[in-house]
């Protein structure tokens, strides 16, 4: 199965309102960064144990670890959670930037140093979410 089919199946497996919101958000992210690499992580580790929710990734950058090793990873991610949807903005150096810049204007969402979590798109300002996503792609360069 290819990544596009895995993503389609993952989104299709969500309950009605969440599925519609994830479809819309997936389309919007692809419009923001149409040439970026697509990822699908099933949430399982090398021993096939579930360690996280499955997630969709967009774009690519290299994480540089303290020991100098690097790893390719996505710039922006999206995942269903028990109460709604999480959007991950990866690789930001300043962990206060997202909450300070977007937290007060986004609406009913929890905003941390790398995650924006909300119940439904209708509860937030999609324009503010898109601005955070755009910032994530710009801040980490990559492709």
């Amino acid at each position: 199965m290819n990544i596009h089919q895995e993503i389609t199946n993952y989104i299709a497996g969500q309950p009605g309102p969440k599925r519609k919101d994830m479809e819309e958000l997936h389309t919007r992210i692809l419009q923001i960064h149409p040439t970026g690499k697509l990822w699908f992580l099933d949430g399982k580790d090398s021993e096939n144990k579930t360690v996280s929710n499955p997630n969709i990734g967009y774009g690519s950058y290299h994480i540089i670890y303290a020991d100098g090793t690097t790893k390719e990873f996505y710039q922006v991610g999206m995942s269903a959670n028990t109460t709604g949807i999480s959007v991950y903005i990866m690789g930001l150096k300043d962990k206060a930037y997202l909450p300070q810049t977007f937290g007060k204007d986004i609406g009913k969402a929890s905003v941390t140093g790398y995650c924006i979590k909300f119940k439904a798109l209708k509860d937030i300002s999609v324009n503010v979410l898109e601005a955070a996503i755009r910032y994530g792609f710009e801040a980490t360069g990559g492709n």
Side-chain angles (χ1 to χ4, degrees):
M1 186 179 323
N2 70 36
I3 290 176
H4 292 282
Q5 192 59 52
E6 287 179 304
I7 292 169
T8 299
N9 290 350
Y10 173 59
I11 293 173
Q14 302 306 314
K18 189 184 297 186
R19 179 179 61 246
K20 286 183 67 177
D21 283 354
M22 289 184 75
E23 287 169 346
E24 180 178 339
L25 193 50
H26 178 64
T27 299
R28 286 175 180 262
I29 296 171
L30 290 175
Q31 289 170 344
I32 290 168
H33 196 46
T35 61
K37 179 176 179 176
L38 279 178
W39 303 65
F40 182 75
L41 305 175
D42 64 6
K44 298 185 190 272
D45 67 10
S46 60
E47 297 172 6
N48 209 31
K49 292 181 184 173
T50 300
V51 294
S52 70
N53 291 328
N55 52 91
I56 303 166
Y58 307 86
S60 149
Y61 81 108
H62 284 89
I63 300 169
I64 303 170
Y65 294 101
D67 67 1
T69 60
T70 64
K71 174 184 171 184
E72 183 184 19
F73 203 62
Y74 59 73
Q75 294 166 280
V76 172
M78 175 176 62
S79 169
N81 61 54
T82 54
T83 60
I85 299 170
S86 296
V87 173
Y88 308 102
I89 312 291
M90 306 303 292
L92 301 181
K93 305 259 187 278
D94 181 356
K95 297 303 178 198
Y97 187 83
L98 282 181
Q100 288 176 351
T101 306
F102 304 105
K104 65 185 179 323
D105 296 323
I106 198 160
K108 293 167 109 178
S110 164
V111 183
T112 68
Y114 71 96
C115 181
I116 300 170
K117 185 166 37 171
F118 51 93
K119 185 171 180 174
L121 285 177
K122 68 179 177 50
D123 297 331
I124 64 165
S125 167
V126 176
N127 290 338
V128 172
L129 179 61
E130 283 185 356
I133 291 168
R134 285 179 200 283
Y135 175 77
F137 286 126
E138 292 165 8
T140 53
N143 54 34

